[in-house]
Amino acid sequence: MYSEHLDLTMLNDLLKTQQVGRGATPNEVWDEIDSTNTRAADIAAANGTHGVIVAARQQTAGRGRQGRTWVSPPDAGLYISFLLRPHVALTELPLISLATGTATASALLQACGVSAQLKWVNDIVCEGRKLGGILAELPQRDALVIGIGINLIEVDRPEELRNKATSVQAITGGVPDVNALAAALALEIERAYLLLESRERTQILNEWRTKSATLGKDVRAVIGNETISGTAIDIDRDGSLIVRTAHGDRTLHAGEVSVRAADGSYS
Ligand code: BTN
């Protein structure tokens, strides 16, 4: 079964999960929506169940990290959010971001044959350009929304993104099966979430390390007025990035910093 665009029946048919996309609250695929993360938060507020999938063919107000816009033209990307009801301490949640990155890279390999890497904290990169991103939000104490955007098709991008972004089409030369990718992503998210619940931190961290585009690289991070330059040497048990500087090791926490390669390039 194949459809050129995202389709609810097809996505549901392709799901191989036990929990994700299989709760009492139905999954949703929209032709157009403001933001799938916003819609998933609304579903959470209305007592939506664990694992609901919300996806859209187009977003009119897609959101990225640090208040940025996620440009989401029709059928040019996968725009998808998962509502999770975490049974883990909130302190474990930074790890779900890392685990989601690893899950996304695995799904891209399985469904599209794309070998992606992860730029701390959770950008999906390939050949030095951004292929996708993850926006994890906590709209309520007991609801975690994980939003994933993946560029599928080459589109005319704003000038500032032209040399920084890529797509599955640019990498493989082919048009990806978006429903197969969404289903693979659901399965990998479920796997990542189960690892987190079973406290398999080491496995989560090691999987992230093997796919990292950041470790071993010279990086520059800006925290408020301070600029930190050094080599990214590892992530710690909480998923924070450890950077070796001339003045000793510094630990960078997700959310407070924007990390760039030391030469200013994207990855
Ligand atoms: C980033 O800035 O790198 C994160 C981008 C996350 C975009 C996705 S698309 C699906 C979901 N809905 C949103 O509004 N944002 C996320």
Side-chain angles (χ1 to χ4, degrees):
M1 253 204 312
Y2 174 76
S3 165
E4 276 177 13
H5 61 76
L6 205 55
D7 177 271
L8 181 61
T9 310
M10 212 156 284
L11 170 59
N12 282 336
D13 282 354
L14 289 170
L15 283 179
K16 294 200 179 89
T17 49
Q18 303 284 326
Q19 298 176 1
V20 170
R22 296 203 182 268
T25 308
N27 299 327
E28 297 179 355
V29 171
W30 293 78
D31 283 343
E32 181 186 301
I33 199 168
D34 50 359
S35 154
T36 56
N37 263 35
T38 304
R39 175 64 192 148
D42 289 346
I43 294 174
N47 289 323
T49 48
H50 172 75
V52 180
I53 302 173
V54 182
R57 294 177 61 184
Q58 173 179 11
Q59 293 184 123
T60 53
R63 291 185 283 114
R65 289 178 60 229
Q66 296 171 332
R68 287 190 285 260
T69 298
W70 189 258
V71 181
S72 314
D75 299 322
L78 174 59
Y79 319 117
I80 189 165
S81 301
F82 297 88
L83 166 61
L84 304 179
R85 298 282 189 186
H87 290 126
V88 295
L90 292 184
T91 50
E92 300 282 317
L93 292 183
L95 281 187
I96 191 81
S97 274
L98 294 186
T100 303
T102 312
T104 307
S106 299
L108 277 163
L109 189 61
Q110 287 161 36
C112 307
V114 167
S115 184
Q117 287 188 297
L118 306 169
K119 180 176 163 288
W120 190 84
V121 55
N122 51 12
D123 279 352
I124 315 298
V125 298
C126 194
E127 297 167 358
R129 293 177 181 216
K130 182 157 171 166
L131 176 61
I134 295 164
L135 179 67
E137 296 179 308
L138 207 55
Q140 297 170 203
R141 257 195 82 76
D142 61 348
L144 172 68
V145 172
I146 293 184
I148 301 167
I150 299 173
N151 303 326
L152 298 179
I153 304 293
E154 276 306 281
V155 290
D156 198 18
R157 297 194 176 89
E159 180 67 36
E160 67 275 13
L161 291 181
R162 245 166 241 165
N163 296 325
K164 292 183 180 157
T166 189
S167 66
V168 173
Q169 185 182 38
I171 295 160
T172 65
V175 177
D177 181 339
V178 62
N179 294 294
L181 177 59
L185 198 47
L187 189 59
E188 289 299 320
I189 293 285
E190 176 166 290
R191 192 181 145 265
Y193 185 75
L194 290 173
L195 278 182
L196 191 77
E197 275 200 318
S198 58
R199 311 280 189 275
E200 299 285 353
R201 272 177 184 241
T202 311
Q203 191 171 336
I204 292 173
L205 296 172
N206 283 342
E207 286 187 12
W208 191 90
R209 286 181 180 113
T210 61
K211 294 192 165 85
S212 170
T214 302
L215 297 183
K217 297 272 169 61
D218 287 340
V219 296
R220 193 168 55 222
V222 180
I223 309 180
N225 293 331
E226 190 189 12
T227 299
I228 295 169
S229 299
T231 307
I233 56 168
D234 202 1
I235 43 171
D236 71 11
R237 281 177 57 74
D238 302 324
S240 300
L241 186 69
I242 305 170
V243 176
R244 183 145 295 166
T245 77
H247 314 287
D249 290 355
R250 291 287 300 265
T251 302
L252 308 183
H253 304 281
E256 67 178 18
V257 285
S258 166
V259 172
R260 284 279 174 274
D263 63 4
S265 66
Y266 177 70
S267 66

